[in-house]
Amino acid sequence: EVQLVESGGGLVQAGGSLRLSCAASGFTFDDYVISWFRQAPGKEREGVSCTSMSDGSTYYADSVKGRFTITSDNAKNTVYLQMNSLKPEDTAVYYCAAEYQLVFKPSLEVSEYDYWGQGTQVTVSS
């Protein structure tokens, strides 16, 4: 059974940092792209960043470029999202998602992802 479990969310002041984790199980990690999405109240889910588990390639949405960093630990089947210089507009539920992809083709389209975690809340106060 495929499982993605997010952790690390919380409340932080503007300008602060958080690190989210996504622990994956039930599939061959190297064959997938793992991405982070977020959804703020009343808004559509949007892609934040993705990484290829096979070669470590990464891609970022413009809104987080230079502030967020996605990394992975293949030995632990875990993907991280380091979030620095957080802004109130980063407040959202953050989800990790997995897409089967042997050749990295960066995509942050919700419809392309097969598996999703349950989400973790990130709240940035002003």
Side-chain angles (χ1 to χ4, degrees):
E1 179 189 2
V2 174
Q3 279 195 320
L4 298 169
V5 181
E6 302 96 334
S7 61
L11 173 64
V12 64
Q13 288 188 330
S17 299
L18 281 175
R19 189 178 81 155
L20 306 182
S21 299
C22 172
S25 62
F27 59 92
T28 304
F29 205 56
D30 289 355
D31 292 342
Y32 281 74
V33 167
I34 305 291
S35 296
W36 286 97
F37 290 80
R38 65 186 182 186
Q39 189 165 18
K43 294 189 176 181
E44 292 189 352
R45 193 169 296 188
E46 64 170 354
V48 173
S49 180
C50 60
T51 184
S52 166
M53 294 299 97
S54 62
D55 67 7
S57 299
T58 59
Y59 179 80
Y60 297 91
D62 288 343
S63 58
V64 305
K65 207 172 289 183
R67 299 189 298 122
F68 291 10
T69 303
I70 190 169
T71 58
S72 62
D73 184 337
N74 287 41
K76 295 182 178 180
N77 281 13
T78 300
V79 173
Y80 304 97
L81 185 69
Q82 179 66 43
M83 306 186 295
N84 298 329
S85 302
L86 282 162
K87 305 175 182 179
E89 51 263 44
D90 295 317
T91 294
V93 177
Y94 282 70
Y95 301 88
C96 65
E99 176 192 12
Y100 179 74
Q101 195 179 103
L102 295 180
V103 178
F104 186 52
K105 185 181 64 176
S107 172
L108 294 176
E109 293 293 329
V110 171
S111 61
E112 295 191 9
Y113 284 80
D114 306 309
Y115 304 106
W116 292 84
Q118 83 290 347
T120 185
Q121 176 71 46
V122 172
T123 303
V124 184
S125 63
S126 57

